Amino acid sequence: MNIGEASGASGVSAKMIRYYEQIGLIAPKGRTESNYRVYGEEEVHVLRFIKRARSLGFSLEETETLLKLWQDKSRTSSAVKEIATTHINDLERRIAEMQGMVKTLKHLSHCCGGDNRPDCPILDDLAGESPAKGERAAPGKNPANGESAA
Amino acid sequence: MNIGEASGASGVSAKMIRYYEQIGLIAPKGRTESNYRVYGEEEVHVLRFIKRARSLGFSLEETETLLKLWQDKSRTSSAVKEIATTHINDLERRIAEMQGMVKTLKHLSHCCGGDNRPDCPILDDLAGESPAKGERAAPGKNPANGESAA
DNA sequence: TGTAAGGCTTCCCATCATGGGAAGGTCAAG
DNA sequence: CTTGACCTTCCCATGATGGGAAGCCTTACA
């Protein structure tokens, strides 16, 4: 199986397969005389594993760790679970962050006429001017605002 | 005001201020004889605008558009609202995507013993083997899976 | 058997927003 | 006048992916 076929069988682009090889995630079974990469079922299986991990939002670094654990028959499931849990927490943190943005934006959008006139609470907020009621959207404890620690 | 002071006043790093200048988002009021950038209150205001837009998840490209609209006194609020709405939709799409991942991962994590034994449903799922009940987590209509269109 | 199309190889570049760091000039305080 | 902090520009790195060029190889067809 050459790289194009492996790509078709795994759903991973040839470009990415080469990249994964470059960063040490996967190696072809070998090379033909003319230097073509050769893959077998096992490699395709690994590629699918990577693809699935990526689709669950794991980074390539996390994926690499998971891959090693997968291939390590003596791993403990707790090691795997810990990675997953950390990733879940990370996802949930990012979700909450974006939800805060959405909340603020929806509020501003709701207050914005969206008509032909130029006055716009959205721009006013961005500019730090909140004419209505003299306060920002989501005053004080705005969850979309990670500035304090930055 | 030099770049360090503008950075302190706006909360935008000096590095980023230079970058924003490079991509045409903001220019200093002028330069000193010794080539130092000089900023005034107006520039700091723009920097805060950018920062606020970024904290709401707008890309720099969107931010640039918003900035132009802000400075265009004859803009319509509908033009601004449209950008905001598009951005809200984008955020919500991404949130849903990540929520799908979380849902799947939580299910898998829940099924995983997290003990000293090697058998792990999380790895089984990644490997495409679902021993329990013979099905993948979130069978069929798995929302964490954008593969179909890719 | 010759040729054309398409697949493979490597290498470089771009994205997006941000930070790190080096080399060298400048300013202000001691 | 020195020293340290700040400024300048320039280059590089991140993470994951894609685009494309130049050149070799394979396959299918006439």
Side-chain angles (χ1 to χ4, degrees):
Chain A
M1 203 170 6
N2 63 26
I3 201 171
E5 292 161 337
S7 170
S10 65
V12 178
S13 74
K15 209 92 185 180
M16 279 300 102
I17 296 178
R18 294 194 196 97
Y19 174 65
Y20 294 160
E21 178 180 347
Q22 191 192 319
I23 64 173
L25 264 191
I26 184 177
K29 205 169 52 181
R31 297 265 186 158
T32 66
E33 289 176 10
S34 54
N35 206 31
Y36 281 24
R37 289 170 178 83
V38 176
Y39 300 91
E41 283 308 319
E42 193 172 341
E43 284 76 28
V44 169
H45 201 173
V46 170
L47 287 172
R48 288 211 200 95
F49 182 104
I50 295 171
K51 188 174 187 196
R52 174 74 177 147
R54 295 286 303 126
S55 83
L56 288 174
F58 288 105
S59 69
L60 284 182
E61 199 178 353
E62 288 166 326
T63 301
E64 187 183 8
T65 306
L66 290 168
L67 206 44
K68 281 177 185 159
L69 286 169
W70 180 43
Q71 284 153 353
D72 173 10
K73 297 302 178 194
S74 68
R75 85 250 158 181
T76 61
S77 68
S78 64
V80 182
K81 191 167 184 171
E82 191 183 326
I83 294 172
T85 303
T86 300
H87 181 49
I88 289 170
N89 290 337
D90 190 50
L91 283 170
E92 290 190 324
R93 188 185 46 73
R94 288 193 280 158
I95 287 170
E97 206 173 301
M98 289 196 284
Q99 280 173 336
M101 296 178 191
V102 167
K103 186 179 171 187
T104 300
L105 285 168
K106 280 195 168 172
H107 171 72
L108 293 172
S109 250
H110 180 70
C111 293
C112 174
D115 48 33
N116 291 326
R117 282 170 297 157
D119 49 299
C120 175
I122 300 172
L123 290 180
D124 289 343
D125 178 276
L126 291 174
E129 309 149 7
S130 300
K133 296 176 196 166
E135 53 177 38
R136 295 285 281 264
K141 50 169 181 34
N142 184 344
N145 210 327
E147 302 171 39
S148 46
Chain B
M1 201 168 10
N2 62 29
I3 201 171
E5 291 161 336
S7 170
S10 65
V12 178
S13 75
K15 209 89 184 182
M16 277 303 101
I17 296 178
R18 292 194 197 96
Y19 174 65
Y20 294 159
E21 178 181 346
Q22 191 192 319
I23 64 173
L25 264 191
I26 184 177
K29 205 169 52 181
R31 296 268 185 156
T32 67
E33 289 176 11
S34 55
N35 206 30
Y36 280 26
R37 288 169 178 84
V38 176
Y39 299 91
E41 283 308 320
E42 194 173 338
E43 284 76 27
V44 169
H45 202 172
V46 171
L47 287 172
R48 288 213 199 92
F49 183 105
I50 296 170
K51 188 174 190 199
R52 175 72 176 148
R54 294 287 301 127
S55 84
L56 288 174
F58 288 104
S59 70
L60 283 182
E61 198 176 355
E62 289 165 326
T63 301
E64 186 182 9
T65 306
L66 290 168
L67 206 43
K68 280 178 185 157
L69 287 170
W70 180 44
Q71 285 153 352
D72 174 11
K73 296 303 177 193
S74 70
R75 85 252 160 180
T76 62
S77 69
S78 64
V80 182
K81 191 166 183 171
E82 191 183 326
I83 294 173
T85 303
T86 301
H87 182 47
I88 289 170
N89 290 338
D90 189 49
L91 283 171
E92 290 190 323
R93 188 186 45 73
R94 289 192 281 159
I95 287 170
E97 207 172 301
M98 289 196 285
Q99 280 173 336
M101 297 178 190
V102 167
K103 186 179 172 187
T104 301
L105 285 168
K106 280 194 167 174
H107 172 71
L108 293 173
S109 248
H110 180 70
C111 293
C112 173
D115 49 32
N116 291 325
R117 280 169 298 158
D119 48 299
C120 176
I122 300 172
L123 289 180
D124 289 343
D125 177 276
L126 292 173
E129 308 149 6
S130 299
K133 295 174 194 166
E135 54 178 37
R136 294 286 278 265
K141 52 170 177 34
N142 184 346
N145 210 328
E147 302 169 38
S148 45

